[in-house]
Amino acid sequence: MNNVLILIFGMALVTYIPRLLPFLIVSKSKLPDGLRQFLTFIPYTALGALIIPGVFNSIPELPLAAIMAILFATIYAWKKGGIIVPVLGSIGVAFAVLYLNNFLGL
């Protein structure tokens, strides 16, 4: 049991140090405005890189449903903001396109 606790503490320390060091280094210095602005875009690009491929691969037999859902979510979020309505609306749009495809045979 003692070895397990040492192993858990060691893994926690090894995981925590790489997260702490950049914070300590960056917090003491002022970043240039260009770099600061560049760093603000990283969460959006990372989220897009993780989500967009999965959306297009979710319905490979009918990519139009994914495209229409993405278009709805993008336009609604751009105009009105929020996250709940674009997500639920894009689900509804994808469902409607899939239903129309099955019902009408488009």
Side-chain angles (χ1 to χ4, degrees):
M1 183 67 179
N2 193 18
N3 289 337
V4 173
L5 291 177
I6 292 172
L7 183 63
I8 291 173
F9 179 73
M11 288 189 308
L13 189 64
V14 168
T15 304
Y16 183 70
I17 288 174
R19 295 169 192 244
L20 177 66
L21 288 178
F23 175 73
L24 292 176
I25 293 169
V26 171
S27 66
K28 296 189 189 226
S29 64
K30 174 114 171 92
L31 293 175
D33 289 336
L35 180 61
R36 184 177 299 276
Q37 185 178 10
F38 171 76
L39 291 175
T40 60
F41 291 118
I42 289 177
Y44 303 113
T45 55
L47 190 62
L50 291 171
I51 290 175
I52 298 297
V55 169
F56 284 117
N57 292 329
S58 64
I59 312 169
E61 65 276 357
L62 189 63
L64 178 65
I67 292 169
M68 296 297 289
I70 288 174
L71 281 175
F72 172 81
T74 302
I75 292 170
Y76 190 91
W78 189 283
K79 297 288 184 185
K80 302 274 185 173
I83 191 165
I84 300 296
V85 174
V87 169
L88 294 177
S90 63
I91 292 170
V93 167
F95 177 77
V97 172
L98 289 170
Y99 180 77
L100 288 174
N101 182 52
N102 287 338
F103 185 69
L104 300 176
L106 297 175

